[in-house]
Amino acid sequence: MSDNKYNPQETESKYYQIWEERKYFEVDGNKAIQEENKNFSIMMPPPNVTGRLHIGHALTFTLQDIITRYKRMDGYKTLWQPGTDHAGIATQNVVEKQLLEQGITKEEIGREAFLEKVWEWKEESAGIMTEQLRKMGVSPAWERERFTMDKGLQKSVKEAFVHLYNEGLIVRGNYMVNWCTHDGALSDIEVEHEEENGKFYHMLYHFADGSGSVEVATTRPETYFGDTAVMVHPDDARYKDIIGKEVLLPLLDKKIKIIADSYVDMEFGTGVVKVTPAHDQNDYEVGKRHDLEFITVFDEKGILNDYAGEFKGLERLEARELIVKRLQGEGYIVKIEDHVHQVGHCYRCKNVVEPYISKQWFVRKEVADKSIEKTNAGEAKFFPPHWINSYNSWMGELRDWCISRQLWWGHQIPVFYCDECEHEWATENEHPTECPKCASKNIKQDPDVLDTWFSSALWPFSTLGWGNGDTEMDRLFQSQDMKDFYPNSLLITGFDILFFWVARMMMMGEHFNAELPFKHIYLHALVRDEHGQKMSKSRGNVIDPLDMVNKYSADILRFTLAVSAAQGRDIRMSQDKLEQNRNFTNKLYNASKYLQMNADTFPDMNGFCINTDLGRYIMSRLNFATKEVRSYLDEYRFNDAALTMYRFLWNEFCDWGIELSKADKASIIELGAIFKEAMKLLHPFMPFITEHLYHELSGTSLDDSDSIMIKKFPHKTKQRKEEKTFAIIMDAIVSIRRAKVLVDLANQKIQKAYVKIDGLSEKEKTMMLPFIAKLAKVETVEFTDTKIENAVSDIADTCETFIPTDSIDLTPIINKLTKQDEKLQKEIAKLNGMLNNERFVANAPADVLEKNREALNDAQKKREKVLEQLKSLKV
């Protein structure tokens, strides 16, 4: 064996480079073992070019890599499609900030120059995330890496948009949208609602005829300039007489009507509500029902306009205090109450979001109808299955999807307008020169870009060449890719983007290809800290995956994530778990060293015959582990598959197999071959150390041999009769060890022991004796049909064992146990006395009583064991 100690960081970097250079990750990387009609495809959720690898990414990509490596070794033609996302708002914000630090605004340099700056920054930063992913050992087809704004995908996006536009499923109109005064229009799910401590402002609106006033309450007094009605519930007896009357808006003396609408909650506040149709989602609907005027009181940047009178030019939120102060001065404010309410914030810049009427582009919700229908017909299956309920709940409330964004970075909307005849058309032509209706050259493109999620929604098929034309054909995709890899076999992603991304891929995939884009959808939970807290910088509990790779290794981090990934349960990460799995890698390394102390190299299992009883037993246990690992991976039960490997390698192979081999040196070559086969089974989880140990035991090196990653995944699952025999052997060993503890000879060699067991043949007994004698440290082991007198005994599951006491001086052992018994009796009496003392029980704190009860129970159990031991020794 090589003397060099395994250095994970050095080895991982070296191996990864070789794997990638040899194109093992590419579709034909495993061509030698590919089987006909076995195709597997999975899409990498494209990380943002602005991003850095976080623990959630580490989990997603680890699970994807495990399943990809498994399928690749199992003979599938495998595509794991990598790529990055242009991340519209996030990326534009980063570059804008960089320019502002130099005192430059994007408007000063113009759209074209700004986009050049973003492309420069993208080129610089895009590789950061993918290099970090390489550190995790992930194996996607890097040569096919895509970017959501590469030339082929730009074509694909245009084709999808034009299709939907021509079908009437993309429309433009004045809608109430979520508006961020910094980032523009947002879709519903890009708004994060947070509880905030706000105020409830009670204001007086005087009747126009001077007959009194009504009291209304609002959380947003700065919008009252856009009020076009006041409303009450039609059944509210308090206000029946005022319906139809007019009131005057404070400070403005503008007349608005009192209307009746059942939207009003009679029990809330005064039961009188102001209606601002242009600045409130619910008021918008009321305004449409009652044909009210829609008055927008601030512009796209949140600056109050002419309707706000003396407050014109102020930013909406900054103006609130000044407006309230003025209203108080004029006697319009009755009271101000504290009020906790939900406030929407932009998911990117955290700015307060406004309901705002704006002319935007929308994908009509009908696009999703067939994907919902097919998902519920079982054409896509969720893991865990309960996610279908969340999917249906959200899709049931689906509204038209706002896809236009007021940004410069992104896919510019492929719609053009003619200034002469006002014709509007969508086209895949990047630079049309004239209006198709009137031939005017006076045309312009819509300045907005598409929501980032529009291009991401096409990812499962746009990356396979759909709509790409011939751009990068045969390099980034192949002509048969759609046939081979659509629908994708599996999607693995976090549950938090089920609606952002997953549902939209399903609607687009079905719409354009008449099939849902995935057969299986695995949604994993959150990675939390060891106390179950969400990780955040403010809490200081963030675990950086790259730090963990550097400290432990990629293998250890991957295995820790996998073994913790129970379906539907959040993952708790801790240094303790990482340390435990470091011990596991040490165990594997030491097992390999032990094997090589006995032989230089070991054969592959293929065509190799196992002849020893121990070899057959360990092979049978590997077959059982193989059966379980395959079954669990096929059901995406990653934690169960990892635990199976841990159990087999640590408990069965190392703790028993290696120990038992000390009594049967002939089995060691066979154990080495089995261990190599087990490395193939473990490889998807821990790719680096398995590669290393496989070559060490083979007497080869990755430098001049094929990788373990393109060897066939173990498939034998037959179990053998030797399992029963070795269950008895191990039972007898453990039983004798327990009996030795009774006579204070725990780790010492003893002269003789007997094993009583029924139904064994002489051949079986002869085979068992060397194993029991060696591992139980007994000079002579005999089988017996009767109980042995003058001996300590132990009863196990399959046998009874005896150690004769004739030659053992039991006096000091009996004395020691007798003293223990006396001490325990005193302890029990003391605790009983306290717990039977009514005054003590009445006055002692509950936790003290509980501790005393536990101590009593513990002492009683210990005494029972001591008495059993004494009885055994005195027989």
Side-chain angles (χ1 to χ4, degrees):
M1 175 170 184
S2 84
D3 294 330
N4 297 333
K5 191 157 170 56
Y6 179 66
N7 178 331
Q9 284 71 22
E10 202 177 284
T11 309
E12 288 178 357
S13 175
K14 177 189 167 187
Y15 284 178
Y16 196 92
Q17 194 176 342
I18 294 171
W19 292 339
E20 193 172 346
E21 282 170 2
R22 290 189 191 165
K23 305 184 189 297
Y24 285 143
F25 307 158
E26 305 307 320
V27 171
D28 284 333
N30 65 335
K31 197 159 184 67
I33 58 167
Q34 279 178 16
E35 296 171 37
E36 215 173 326
N37 300 321
K38 280 177 78 170
N39 295 334
F40 175 81
S41 58
I42 185 168
M43 295 284 152
M44 179 183 285
N48 293 349
V49 289
T50 56
R52 284 188 66 78
L53 190 69
H54 60 64
I55 199 76
H57 287 128
L59 173 64
T60 301
F61 296 124
T62 293
L63 299 184
Q64 288 185 329
D65 194 53
I66 289 169
I67 209 80
T68 301
R69 286 177 182 272
Y70 163 52
K71 294 292 184 183
R72 192 183 283 127
M73 292 176 77
D74 206 29
Y76 283 80
K77 183 178 182 180
T78 301
L79 169 63
W80 181 11
Q81 175 64 54
T84 48
D85 196 299
H86 65 280
I89 292 176
T91 307
Q92 178 156 323
N93 281 346
V94 168
V95 179
E96 272 194 74
K97 279 177 188 162
Q98 289 172 353
L99 287 173
L100 286 170
E101 281 167 15
Q102 301 166 39
I104 306 166
T105 67
K106 72 178 194 299
E107 286 75 17
E108 282 169 352
I109 62 171
R111 184 169 190 147
E112 216 166 295
F114 177 75
L115 289 178
E116 275 175 31
K117 294 274 183 199
V118 186
W119 275 106
E120 279 169 26
W121 190 82
K122 177 263 167 189
E123 290 305 319
E124 185 187 317
S125 70
I128 294 173
M129 175 69 88
T130 49
E131 280 313 305
Q132 290 174 330
L133 289 175
R134 284 173 165 89
K135 293 273 186 210
M136 289 288 301
V138 303
S139 60
W142 285 121
E143 290 196 350
R144 297 176 52 129
E145 186 182 344
R146 304 301 298 263
F147 175 55
T148 50
M149 277 177 61
D150 69 30
K151 282 193 166 64
L153 296 192
Q154 286 197 36
K155 281 177 176 286
S156 178
V157 166
K158 284 192 179 77
E159 182 166 328
F161 184 99
V162 172
H163 265 284
L164 291 166
Y165 178 92
N166 291 337
E167 290 174 282
L169 291 169
I170 283 183
V171 292
R172 185 178 184 234
N174 282 315
Y175 283 71
M176 171 74 73
V177 296
N178 304 296
W179 188 266
C180 169
T181 57
H182 180 263
D183 292 319
L186 303 172
S187 64
D188 292 344
I189 51 177
E190 290 172 315
V191 180
E192 294 175 346
H193 292 276
E194 292 168 20
E195 218 169 62
E196 278 192 6
N197 295 319
K199 303 284 183 190
F200 225 2
Y201 302 90
H202 291 255
M203 297 168 61
L204 290 177
Y205 284 36
H206 297 297
F207 290 120
D209 61 9
S211 61
S213 60
V214 288
E215 186 182 317
V216 300
T218 180
T219 57
R220 301 167 69 225
E222 68 278 3
T223 65
Y224 91 89
F225 307 110
D227 289 0
T228 52
V230 165
M231 63 178 165
V232 296
H233 196 284
D235 301 334
D236 195 333
R238 294 172 294 177
Y239 303 118
K240 278 202 183 295
D241 296 344
I242 64 167
I243 295 168
K245 288 187 77 167
E246 290 182 326
V247 291
L248 298 170
L249 279 182
L251 304 180
L252 302 180
D253 288 343
K254 179 185 170 184
K255 291 180 183 178
I256 58 173
K257 265 192 176 174
I258 296 175
I259 61 171
D261 194 285
S262 54
Y263 167 72
V264 179
D265 180 356
M266 289 189 280
E267 307 301 316
F268 187 71
T270 60
V272 184
V273 183
K274 70 193 212 54
V275 186
T276 323
H279 293 285
D280 181 281
Q281 188 64 55
N282 297 309
D283 291 2
Y284 177 73
E285 299 300 331
V286 171
K288 287 200 288 187
R289 279 199 295 275
H290 293 268
D291 200 22
L292 299 175
E293 191 182 356
F294 288 70
I295 296 174
T296 303
V297 301
F298 50 77
D299 67 13
E300 294 172 353
K301 298 293 179 193
I303 306 301
L304 292 170
N305 58 23
D306 290 335
Y307 286 104
E310 64 195 86
F311 303 103
K312 178 187 173 183
L314 295 174
E315 198 279 330
R316 65 197 163 126
L317 297 177
E318 290 166 8
R320 183 178 292 172
E321 208 174 309
L322 295 171
I323 293 166
V324 169
K325 198 173 179 184
R326 181 88 164 83
L327 289 167
Q328 280 175 314
E330 296 292 326
Y332 287 107
I333 299 286
V334 178
K335 61 180 174 180
I336 302 172
E337 297 172 315
D338 288 332
H339 178 61
V340 177
H341 61 142
Q342 293 283 328
V343 177
H345 293 78
C346 173
Y347 82 118
R348 279 294 174 201
C349 69
K350 309 307 175 193
N351 186 12
V352 172
V353 167
E354 293 286 350
Y356 191 73
I357 293 176
S358 176
K359 200 167 212 177
Q360 300 294 336
W361 287 99
F362 290 81
V363 172
R364 296 189 58 173
K365 63 182 180 182
E366 287 77 15
V367 172
D369 288 350
K370 282 189 180 169
S371 65
I372 298 169
E373 196 181 299
K374 288 183 179 181
T375 303
N376 282 285
E379 290 184 30
K381 190 177 173 190
F382 282 98
F383 296 82
H386 68 77
W387 282 112
I388 186 84
N389 302 327
S390 303
Y391 170 82
N392 281 329
S393 166
W394 190 71
M395 298 307 268
E397 299 292 316
L398 197 63
R399 297 199 299 186
D400 291 353
W401 167 23
C402 177
I403 54 165
S404 44
R405 296 289 181 270
Q406 289 62 54
L407 303 170
W408 287 353
W409 173 245
H411 293 272
Q412 194 170 349
I413 289 174
V415 170
F416 291 80
Y417 308 102
C418 176
D419 287 341
E420 298 293 330
C421 70
E422 297 185 346
H423 177 56
E424 168 195 302
W425 74 103
T427 177
E428 292 172 50
N429 182 350
E430 221 168 306
H431 302 292
T433 53
E434 60 180 39
C435 171
K437 192 176 178 184
C438 72
S440 167
K441 306 264 192 249
N442 197 5
I443 59 173
K444 62 174 183 285
Q445 188 173 356
D446 194 300
D448 288 352
V449 300
L450 288 164
D451 177 10
T452 302
W453 298 101
F454 186 91
S455 48
S456 302
L458 310 178
W459 190 250
F461 52 98
S462 62
T463 51
L464 302 177
W466 185 94
N468 285 217
D470 292 334
T471 309
E472 303 289 5
M473 166 86 95
D474 299 326
R475 189 176 80 82
L476 294 178
F477 65 92
Q478 303 294 319
S479 56
Q480 77 277 13
D481 280 354
M482 282 296 286
K483 178 178 160 289
D484 286 349
F485 300 124
Y486 190 92
N488 304 163
S489 313
L490 170 67
L491 173 73
I492 295 180
T493 191
F495 73 89
D496 51 333
I497 53 174
L498 172 56
F499 310 122
F500 271 119
W501 190 44
V502 181
R504 286 167 175 171
M505 286 190 287
M506 289 164 85
M507 65 173 82
M508 293 296 208
E510 194 290 324
H511 187 79
F512 289 111
N513 301 291
E515 272 186 289
L516 293 173
F518 323 103
K519 296 186 181 95
H520 292 166
I521 300 160
Y522 175 97
L523 298 173
H524 65 70
L526 287 175
V527 185
R528 297 179 178 272
D529 71 10
E530 59 193 304
H531 308 294
Q533 298 252 352
K534 198 170 177 179
M535 289 188 195
S536 68
K537 286 177 187 168
S538 57
R539 282 201 183 100
N541 63 347
V542 172
I543 291 177
D544 184 320
L546 292 175
D547 289 348
M548 297 306 103
V549 168
N550 291 330
K551 184 174 179 182
Y552 294 98
S553 74
D555 280 336
I556 290 168
L557 176 59
R558 288 165 62 106
F559 194 80
T560 305
L561 287 165
V563 85
S564 310
Q567 277 187 24
R569 288 215 306 269
D570 284 344
I571 288 172
R572 292 191 177 197
M573 276 294 281
S574 66
Q575 298 276 349
D576 284 352
K577 283 185 180 176
L578 290 156
E579 290 290 348
Q580 186 182 342
N581 291 319
R582 170 146 57 193
N583 295 340
F584 180 47
T585 57
N586 291 341
K587 195 90 170 167
L588 298 176
Y589 184 71
N590 290 334
S592 174
K593 278 205 295 191
Y594 166 79
L595 292 165
Q596 285 196 294
M597 279 161 50
N598 294 277
D600 291 332
T601 63
F602 298 84
D604 257 25
M605 282 301 304
N606 194 17
F608 177 65
C609 273
I610 302 282
N611 295 312
T612 68
D613 292 304
L614 177 57
R616 283 193 286 265
Y617 164 64
I618 295 293
M619 189 69 229
S620 183
R621 294 312 296 159
L622 175 66
N623 288 351
F624 179 65
T626 299
K627 182 181 176 181
E628 283 203 322
V629 168
R630 280 180 163 277
S631 167
Y632 290 143
L633 285 178
D634 289 343
E635 295 168 17
Y636 317 120
R637 290 166 61 181
F638 296 97
N639 63 312
D640 291 324
L643 281 167
T644 294
M645 290 305 313
Y646 190 90
R647 181 203 70 216
F648 169 72
L649 282 160
W650 188 303
N651 301 346
E652 295 173 1
F653 189 91
C654 295
D655 285 357
W656 279 110
I658 282 179
E659 289 305 305
L660 290 163
S661 75
K662 291 170 185 175
D664 180 14
K665 294 290 186 182
S667 68
I668 290 180
I669 293 286
E670 296 173 355
L671 292 193
I674 293 165
F675 189 76
K676 282 174 60 180
E677 197 69 5
M679 290 302 94
K680 294 176 190 173
L681 202 62
L682 181 62
H683 176 76
F685 298 86
M686 299 177 118
F688 296 105
I689 194 166
T690 51
E691 180 85 272
H692 178 77
L693 296 180
Y694 179 82
H695 285 292
E696 285 279 289
L697 294 173
S698 302
T700 56
S701 157
L702 179 60
D703 294 330
D704 51 28
S705 308
D706 279 345
S707 167
I708 190 174
M709 71 181 285
I710 55 164
K711 302 287 183 191
K712 285 289 280 180
F713 198 74
H715 60 277
K716 291 180 180 169
T717 57
K718 186 182 174 187
Q719 287 177 259
R720 301 184 59 95
K721 66 179 189 308
E722 281 85 1
E723 291 206 16
K724 189 179 174 187
T725 310
F726 275 89
I728 295 168
I729 291 171
M730 293 185 288
D731 213 21
I733 293 164
V734 171
S735 182
I736 293 170
R737 286 172 178 173
R738 279 199 301 259
K740 283 166 72 179
V741 169
L742 286 177
V743 287
D744 266 7
L745 296 170
N747 211 26
Q748 295 175 44
K749 191 158 191 174
I750 61 170
Q751 199 63 37
K752 195 159 193 175
Y754 293 89
V755 178
K756 180 176 178 289
I757 184 164
D758 301 325
L760 287 181
S761 69
E762 286 307 311
K763 187 182 175 187
E764 285 174 312
K765 288 176 184 175
T766 306
M767 186 275 276
M768 289 178 172
L769 283 173
F771 292 112
I772 298 170
K774 179 80 175 173
L775 270 73
K777 290 189 177 176
V778 184
E779 200 71 48
T780 309
V781 176
E782 281 185 25
F783 284 94
T784 177
D785 296 328
T786 57
K787 183 175 164 48
I788 304 295
E789 299 299 324
N790 300 321
V792 289
S793 67
D794 179 85
I795 299 171
D797 291 339
T798 60
C799 62
E800 191 173 356
T801 58
F802 304 91
I803 297 174
T805 54
D806 301 347
S807 60
I808 302 169
D809 181 5
L810 298 177
T811 311
I813 300 164
I814 291 169
N815 288 343
K816 187 176 89 172
L817 288 169
T818 305
K819 280 180 184 170
Q820 278 183 17
D821 180 38
E822 287 166 2
K823 190 179 174 188
L824 285 164
Q825 283 184 64
K826 283 179 186 171
E827 178 72 7
I828 289 165
K830 178 185 159 193
L831 289 164
N832 266 326
M834 289 165 73
L835 290 167
N836 290 328
N837 181 327
E838 289 178 12
R839 183 181 291 176
F840 173 76
V841 172
N843 294 319
D847 63 324
V848 171
L849 288 172
E850 186 56 34
K851 275 181 188 166
N852 281 342
R853 287 190 190 103
E854 281 173 15
L856 177 62
N857 188 40
D858 191 40
Q860 286 168 335
K861 281 182 179 171
K862 281 181 185 169
R863 184 164 184 249
E864 279 170 26
K865 282 186 182 172
V866 168
L867 290 173
E868 265 179 47
Q869 289 174 341
L870 277 167
K871 185 182 173 188
S872 164
L873 293 171
K874 287 174 180 175
V875 168

